[in-house]
Amino acid sequence: MKPQLRPTTSCFGSGPTAKRPGWSLAGLDGALVGRSHRSSPAKARLGELLERSRALLGLPEDHRIALVAGSDTGAFEMAMWSLLGARGTDLLAWESFGEGWLSDAKGQLKLADLRTFRADYGLLPDLDRVAADRDVVFTWNGTTSGVRVPDGEWISDQRSGLTLCDATSAAFAFDLPWQKLDVVTYSWQKVLGGEAQHGMLVLGPRAVERLESYRPPWPLPKLFRLTKGGRLDESIFRGETINTPSMLAVEDALDGLRWAEGIGGLAALIARSETNLQTVAAWVGRSPWADFLAERPETRSSTSICLKIVDPAVAALPLDDQERLIKELVGRLAEEGVAHDIAAYRDAPPGLRLWGGATVERSDLEALLPWLDWAFGETRPRFV
Ligand SMILES: Cc1ncc(COP(=O)(O)O)c(C=O)c1O
């Protein structure tokens, strides 16, 4: 039976994600469009963005935060290009984005002393193999497998290497142990539902020390340059961006931050995401056909909730057929206008991925789940 109730939004994609409840374009009326980003009001707006982000994330005093170009990729590559190569690097990869950083480290930076620890979709590499005297590059939450590190316990407080953490689908949804993270990056179109555009770069004091004492052997494009005359360019961390930001996207990011503050801050954001995961988990517990791709419960992401099909007849189909089935299934849901952008990422095993970040209402997920059962029931007989 086709469900009667529809979610109030069909946006369940993993980035760009659903806008916050109640969002409207009118909320951006005050954006400083048409003004120089170097003008005093624009600088004040950029400064406000940095301060509100810092406060909401709960950054320690000695961590700096900046807005940079190129979304999360820009921020993370800026960190990789600026910091790596001073000592050996351990690189962890368990899904598509970690693999991307691995390919940067190996194929582009050609790091001489690189150890890689990889795991298949659904699993994590052995975190205990990471050495405290080496730099480590990793993704807090693997957006395409829905597998996250359970905590930061595996990172030594006595480390001499740096930790570079891509936290784009983790920031504002998980409690990040800032003292263990020397570099953290994220973009706006994830947990707070902002517009894609800029990357956010958080640097701890040890990363700054590295920047001021190490010059990488490769050329650094202007967009990546965080130092001037061998010293950290502090102005970047006051909102004097390297190049021109979008003040419209900035206004939208501020809208998301103010909303988050209004609902109770970081704790409320984390709780909303966790509730969304619990909602899906309860349904998975009852489902004869779907299960989490993440094998261990403590590694299950509450933001990018990745599901695989465990119906034995479907799971036994060749991968191409499973992919076609998923395509049809999500096509039905899109046609009904109940869900968009929920197929597994193109490099991941065939399945579904539901975004459960803070902007998603539990009631919308609850309304969506019976539609998944309906679409699977309609689609399955065409394949088995
Ligand atoms: C873990 C992770 N890293 C990097 C990216 C790329 O982000 P962006 O498009 O903001 O550069 C994504 C996008 O989904 C991601 O999930």
Side-chain angles (χ1 to χ4, degrees):
M1 283 278 287
K2 203 188 261 194
Q4 297 293 305
L5 187 67
R6 285 165 190 273
T8 62
T9 169
S10 61
C11 296
F12 292 102
S14 291
T17 62
K19 290 304 212 183
R20 66 163 172 93
W23 180 92
S24 108
L25 256 182
L28 310 188
D29 272 354
L32 280 172
V33 293
R35 290 298 310 272
S36 164
H37 60 296
R38 310 269 182 221
S39 67
S40 313
K43 273 203 242 176
R45 204 67 63 93
L46 290 162
E48 180 187 345
L49 174 95
L50 297 181
E51 280 318 304
R52 284 185 187 267
S53 305
R54 159 188 291 287
L56 190 63
L57 288 167
L59 290 189
E61 278 292 309
D62 59 1
H63 279 53
R64 291 168 172 83
I65 183 165
L67 170 163
V68 301
S71 207
D72 181 63
T73 310
F76 204 68
E77 289 192 331
M78 177 182 215
M80 289 182 75
W81 260 249
S82 300
L83 296 166
L84 295 181
R87 54 172 68 220
T89 302
D90 285 352
L91 206 144
L92 309 178
W94 58 92
E95 49 79 66
S96 178
F97 287 105
E99 287 293 332
W101 307 140
L102 172 53
S103 129
D104 271 357
K106 214 171 163 168
Q108 301 297 321
L109 297 180
K110 302 190 197 309
L111 295 180
D113 182 3
L114 176 68
R115 301 195 305 175
T116 59
F117 302 107
R118 295 157 101 167
D120 217 343
Y121 280 84
L123 300 168
L124 268 185
D126 183 359
L127 303 174
D128 293 331
R129 294 180 64 194
V130 168
D133 60 351
R134 299 169 65 82
D135 295 334
V136 55
V137 175
F138 72 104
T139 303
W140 192 275
N141 181 77
T143 320
T144 65
S145 70
V147 172
R148 63 169 174 124
V149 294
D151 51 44
E153 291 304 305
W154 52 282
I155 299 170
S156 166
D157 290 324
Q158 276 76 49
R159 68 192 176 283
S160 46
L162 296 180
T163 48
L164 277 68
C165 172
D166 169 4
T168 198
S169 55
F172 303 111
F174 302 125
D175 218 351
L176 297 174
W178 295 106
Q179 299 296 358
K180 286 178 182 280
L181 303 175
D182 301 307
V183 179
V184 173
T185 66
Y186 64 91
S187 52
W188 292 340
Q189 72 276 13
K190 297 287 187 188
V191 175
L192 296 186
E195 285 303 287
Q197 187 59 218
H198 298 294
M200 298 298 284
L201 174 71
V202 176
L203 294 184
R206 302 179 61 254
V208 173
E209 202 181 290
R210 171 78 60 87
L211 281 170
E212 294 186 336
S213 61
Y214 167 67
R215 240 181 119 159
W218 42 75
L220 279 184
K222 177 177 174 178
L223 272 180
F224 284 5
R225 276 177 238 154
L226 287 162
T227 56
K228 240 186 201 162
R231 307 289 299 171
L232 185 75
D233 185 353
E234 297 278 5
S235 67
I236 300 173
F237 300 86
R238 289 193 298 264
E240 294 172 30
T241 50
I242 296 177
N243 68 334
T244 315
S246 157
M247 295 309 291
L248 189 60
V250 164
E251 200 63 22
D252 190 63
L254 276 168
D255 174 86
L257 290 164
R258 289 193 197 104
W259 166 74
E261 292 160 6
I263 63 164
L266 184 63
L269 297 171
I270 294 173
R272 281 174 69 87
S273 185
E274 195 51 39
T275 300
N276 286 338
L277 173 62
Q278 297 317 326
T279 301
V280 178
W283 172 82
V284 164
R286 299 188 301 270
S287 173
W289 64 271
D291 197 359
F292 289 102
L293 185 55
E295 295 200 358
R296 284 164 43 209
E298 68 275 21
T299 67
R300 274 176 205 156
S301 172
S302 62
T303 55
S304 59
I305 306 172
C306 295
L307 303 171
K308 60 183 176 186
I309 297 191
V310 291
D311 174 298
V314 173
L317 290 172
L319 277 185
D320 278 0
D321 288 346
Q322 293 187 43
E323 261 158 25
R324 283 196 302 117
L325 183 147
I326 293 290
K327 203 169 166 203
E328 251 189 54
L329 188 159
V330 299
R332 276 177 210 280
L333 294 168
E335 211 168 278
E336 288 289 341
V338 293
H340 287 106
D341 313 322
I342 63 163
Y345 192 72
R346 55 181 188 258
D347 300 337
L352 299 173
R353 180 173 59 163
L354 308 175
W355 183 253
T359 56
V360 174
E361 299 275 30
R362 174 181 58 184
S363 53
D364 282 330
L365 267 179
E366 277 170 350
L368 172 66
L369 296 168
W371 283 95
L372 300 186
D373 288 326
W374 169 78
F376 183 72
E378 292 287 305
T379 312
R380 183 184 187 275
R382 299 191 9 82
F383 290 85
V384 296

